[in-house]
């Protein structure tokens, strides 16, 4: 499609009055990561090219503008693009932040407050580390059921399978499941030598330099797996910590995982009660004026392996028809 000029043609179509929210996680190279390589959204060079292209073709929205749009108080002349980042990895500060500053664009960073300044791998990176570094070609798990996997062919497929189990059940004892993977792979808790999450000073600098900050809960649970009281605790605690540290109102949240089953009606009640005005999911789609639930603002994925052509086709189709085709 890129070769035949279709991308350029899509860029010429009239844009819809909609909000397209792009979701990034990590910026950098997958080559020497200890964690999950699928979390990488772009290299610094590709990210800068994306930001420049987006600025040229669309309106890069601030978080405040996005809130006003979702609440029906603002419209965009050109499609609004909101750039969001989940989890608060340090590479967001090292790479995304200076690129956004250089290009006078705002990013919105959703911070998981228990990870601030941490060198500890979160559960998804911990599982990836164990699978990638295990010396065993075959592994067998006894919990939550008897399962065996071949690590010698494609460990990333095994990773997808185990992450799906982790995310799936209310009933799953998640710590027990992680211990089971540790036993099966022969590897325990791994602590990288370097810090992997943004610290408090970096966060303050980003906020004071015009970046928007939102909550990604306190400890990154699947909210729908918690009682309503525990959900409230997660979203109130992270909001309060960020507000006390940054001296700003925290009005936005990105749901951990973000799939349709990762939050529910109780979660939306809790967010309203805690004073959030907007919450972002992560299962694709765009947001059309007057038809967007402020507690289910859709985002779509940016992946490092997608390449520039697919990134542009996705964004262009979202801007033209209101939802990405690919
Ligand atoms: Zn997350």
């Amino acid at each position: 499609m890129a070769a035949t000029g279709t991308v350029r043609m899509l860029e010429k179509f009239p844009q819809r009055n909609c909000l397209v929210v792009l979701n990034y996680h990590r910026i950098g190279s997958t080559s020497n990561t200890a964690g999950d390589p699928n979390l990488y959204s772009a290299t610094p060079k590709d990210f800068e090219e994306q930001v420049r292209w987006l600025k040229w073709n669309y309106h890069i929205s601030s978080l405040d503008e996005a809130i006003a749009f979702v609440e029906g108080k603002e419209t965009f002349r050109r499609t609004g693009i909101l750039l969001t980042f989940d989890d608060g990895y340090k590479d967001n500060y090292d790479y995304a932040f200076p690129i956004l500053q250089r290009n006078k664009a705002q990013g919105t960073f959703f911070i998981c407050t228990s990870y601030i300044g941490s060198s500890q791998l979160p559960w998804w990176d911990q599982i990836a580390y164990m699978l990638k570094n295990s010396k065993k070609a075959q592994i067998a798990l006894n919990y939550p059921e008897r399962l065996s996997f071949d690590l010698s062919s494609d460990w990333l497929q095994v990773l997808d399978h185990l992450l799906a189990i982790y995310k799936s059940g209310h009933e799953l004892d998640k710590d027990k499941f992680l211990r089971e993977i540790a036993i099966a792979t022969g590897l325990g808790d791994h602590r990288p030598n370097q810090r992997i999450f943004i610290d408090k000073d970096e966060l303050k600098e980003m906020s004071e330099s015009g970046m928007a900050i939102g909550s990604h809960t306190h400890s990154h649970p699947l909210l729908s797996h918690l009682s309503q009281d525990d959900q409230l605790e997660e979203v109130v605690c992270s909001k309060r910590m960020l507000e006390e540290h940054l001296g700003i109102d925290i009005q936005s949240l990105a749901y951990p995982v973000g799939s349709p089953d990762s939050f529910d009606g109780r979660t939306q009640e809790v967010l309203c009660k805690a004073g959030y005005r907007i919450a972002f999911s992560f299962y694709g789609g765009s947001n059309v004026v007057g038809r967007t639930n402020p507690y289910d603002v859709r985002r779509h994925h940016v992946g490092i392996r997608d390449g520039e052509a697919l990134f542009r086709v996705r964004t262009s189709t979202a801007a033209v028809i209101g939802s990405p085709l690919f």
Side-chain angles (χ1 to χ4, degrees), residues 72-97:
K73 297 172 186 159
E74 174 150 5
T75 57
F76 297 126
R77 197 169 49 82
R78 298 202 288 174
T79 294
I81 307 282
L82 185 70
L83 300 166
T84 69
F85 298 78
D86 282 9
D87 301 325
Y89 280 99
K90 185 174 181 293
D91 54 53
N92 291 185
Y93 172 82
D94 292 337
Y95 303 121
F97 173 44

Side-chain angles (χ1 to χ4, degrees), residues 213-224:
I213 308 296
S215 164
H216 197 39
T217 72
H218 182 61
S219 65
H220 206 284
L222 277 92
L223 288 167
S224 60

Side-chain angles (χ1 to χ4, degrees), residues 62-176:
S62 67
L63 177 63
D64 285 345
E65 286 175 313
I67 293 173
F69 176 87
V70 165
E71 292 180 345
K73 297 172 186 159
E74 174 150 5
T75 57
F76 297 126
R77 197 169 49 82
R78 298 202 288 174
T79 294
I81 307 282
L82 185 70
L83 300 166
T84 69
F85 298 78
D86 282 9
D87 301 325
Y89 280 99
K90 185 174 181 293
D91 54 53
N92 291 185
Y93 172 82
D94 292 337
Y95 303 121
F97 173 44
I99 289 169
L100 290 164
Q101 275 191 306
R102 209 161 39 237
N103 290 279
K104 297 185 172 41
Q106 189 189 63
T108 300
F109 296 84
F110 292 106
I111 304 297
C112 185
T113 42
S114 68
Y115 295 169
I116 294 174
S118 173
S119 304
Q120 194 164 9
L121 293 176
W123 52 265
W124 57 90
D125 281 335
Q126 197 69 251
I127 295 173
Y129 170 80
M130 291 190 280
L131 295 178
K132 185 180 174 188
N133 293 288
S134 177
K135 301 274 184 284
K136 299 183 180 176
Q138 310 280 332
I139 59 166
L141 271 62
N142 294 311
Y143 180 81
E145 56 184 311
R146 289 190 71 84
L147 293 164
S148 57
F149 298 100
D150 181 2
L151 287 182
S152 59
S153 53
D154 186 358
W155 71 272
L156 285 170
Q157 262 189 12
V158 182
L159 176 63
D160 284 346
H161 196 127
L162 296 186
L163 291 179
I165 293 174
Y166 189 100
K167 294 171 191 171
S168 65
H170 294 66
E171 307 304 325
L172 184 79
D173 179 338
K174 294 181 170 67
D175 290 338
K176 185 174 176 184

Side-chain angles (χ1 to χ4, degrees), residues 170 215 217-219 221-239 253 255-256 261-271 274 276:
H170 294 66
S215 164
T217 72
H218 182 61
S219 65
L222 277 92
L223 288 167
S224 60
H225 292 186
L226 303 182
S227 70
Q228 200 161 12
D229 284 348
D230 288 346
Q231 292 191 35
L232 186 64
E233 175 64 26
E234 279 284 340
V235 304
V236 167
C237 172
S238 61
K239 187 175 195 294
L253 176 138
Y255 297 117
D261 59 354
S262 66
F263 59 99
D264 54 27
R266 298 173 310 146
T267 319
Q268 300 186 17
E269 278 173 29
V270 153
L271 291 177
Y276 287 93

